[in-house]
Amino acid sequence: MTDTLPQVRSAPPAAKEPVRTAAPRERRTAVTATGTRRRLGPGKAVPFARLTGPVLVVLVWWAASATGYLDPRILSGPGAVFSTAVDLVKSGRLQSNMAVSLQRAGLGLLFGVLAGVVLAVAAGLSRVGEYLLDGTLQVKRAIPSLALLPLMILWLGIGEQMKVTVIALGVAVVVYINTYASLTGIDRRYVELGESLDLTRLQFVTKVVVPGALPGFFVGLRLAVTASWLGLVVVEQVNATKGLGYMMFQAQLYAQSDVIIVGLVVYGIFGFVSDALVRAAERRVLSWRRTLAD
């Protein structure tokens, strides 16, 4: 019995040693086999990489035109479009139309953003405001702003006031929807935390509500910039005498596809640059936030 007792006592440690040492060795082998830590994000952002898509489109367009697959009577090539753009710049026609279009889109965007934010704050921070405003604006969202064009002409005429109003209506609804969703989507626990800290209404709005709603507001602002350009294209074809839309409409009457393409390229540049500016402002204002886009 004395010989068997040490064997019984020493058996458990011998059986446990492989269990204790095997798992760490396997983990170390898995880490050293790869050499680097696995990354799940999209990777580091490359400056100006967003221009890759537009550049590829231009290259395909140029190749199709150079090889003869693209009929110049249907769509002018990049060379003809560039030559037409130079002529329009030399004559001053492009700059004057661009200035008018920028003024219309800028005023519509400004008034629309202000109206959308005010309505969202009134509906998002008050039950009375929600009951009075949200239902009406949800109905307006289902009605395209361009469908109101005949009524706007009847009420405001065909001048600049009507054009700016139509653009502002489209912008206001987009800003309202996204800002209101951000305001009402704030976690209830933050409200309870503010109440436990005895925050005033103003402190709660400035320290909790505004930072929480800013991401949604910037999403709405990006969509609003696009909405302003879409509305501009339509309103400038309604009894306008200046603007990029008017220039393109006149070119359509004379089958000048090169002039139409110049207008489209300018619209595209405006849209790309304005979206980039909003993105830059968003990164600066929301520098505390870390996302996959960083």
Side-chain angles (χ1 to χ4, degrees), residues 16-17 26 37 52 62 80 83 93 107 109 128 144 155 168 171 174 188 201 213 226 281-282 289 291 293:
K16 290 182 179 179
E17 287 180 0
E26 291 176 359
R37 187 174 59 183
T52 304
W62 175 82
S83 177
R93 182 182 169 190
L107 289 175
L109 182 64
V128 176
W155 287 350
V171 169
V174 173
R188 181 68 185 177
R201 183 71 171 178
T226 303
E282 181 181 9
R289 188 181 62 160
T291 63

Side-chain angles (χ1 to χ4, degrees), residues 34-226:
T34 56
T36 57
R37 187 174 59 183
R38 181 180 298 174
R39 299 181 62 90
L40 300 178
K44 188 177 180 180
V46 179
F48 306 106
R50 294 182 183 275
L51 293 173
T52 304
V55 169
L56 288 177
V57 171
V58 173
L59 291 176
V60 172
W61 178 26
W62 175 82
S65 176
T67 55
Y69 284 101
L70 189 62
D71 189 351
R73 295 173 298 179
I74 299 177
L75 183 63
S76 301
V81 172
F82 180 77
S83 177
T84 301
V86 171
D87 294 338
L88 290 173
V89 170
K90 289 181 178 180
S91 63
R93 182 182 169 190
L94 184 61
Q95 297 93 307
S96 61
N97 288 317
M98 284 173 52
V100 174
S101 295
L102 284 173
Q103 181 180 3
R104 289 170 180 160
L107 289 175
L109 182 64
L110 175 63
F111 295 143
V113 169
L114 291 177
V117 170
V118 171
L119 293 173
V121 171
L125 300 182
S126 171
R127 289 297 182 186
V128 176
E130 179 184 3
Y131 298 151
L132 292 177
L133 298 173
D134 187 60
T136 304
L137 288 168
Q138 294 297 337
V139 173
K140 169 60 187 72
R141 183 179 65 162
I143 303 174
S145 299
L146 301 182
L148 298 175
L149 193 58
L151 193 59
M152 293 294 103
I153 294 175
L154 182 63
W155 287 350
L156 303 175
I158 55 177
E160 294 298 315
Q161 187 177 2
M162 180 273 297
K163 297 177 176 60
V164 173
T165 301
V166 171
I167 296 173
L169 284 174
V171 169
V173 174
V174 173
V175 173
Y176 168 82
I177 295 298
N178 288 273
T179 307
Y180 173 77
S182 297
L183 289 171
T184 56
I186 295 176
D187 198 324
R188 181 68 185 177
R189 290 174 294 181
Y190 293 122
V191 180
E192 296 172 354
L193 179 61
E195 292 173 350
S196 65
L197 294 175
D198 293 329
L199 296 180
T200 64
R201 183 71 171 178
L202 180 60
Q203 289 175 332
F204 174 71
V205 171
T206 56
K207 296 182 181 297
V208 178
V209 174
V210 172
L214 278 177
F217 165 74
F218 276 106
V219 173
L221 184 59
R222 290 181 59 191
L223 296 175
V225 171
T226 303

Side-chain angles (χ1 to χ4, degrees), residues 146 149 162-163 166-167 231-240:
L146 301 182
L149 193 58
M162 180 273 297
K163 297 177 176 60
V166 171
I167 296 173
L232 179 68
V233 174
V234 176
V235 298
E236 285 190 334
Q237 298 183 16
V238 179
N239 198 42

Side-chain angles (χ1 to χ4, degrees), residues 272-292:
F272 187 87
V273 171
S274 57
D275 184 74
L277 292 175
V278 175
R279 282 175 176 270
E282 181 181 9
R283 285 193 298 268
R284 187 175 183 84
V285 174
L286 303 180
S287 58
W288 48 268
R289 188 181 62 160
R290 302 298 297 174
T291 63
L292 291 178

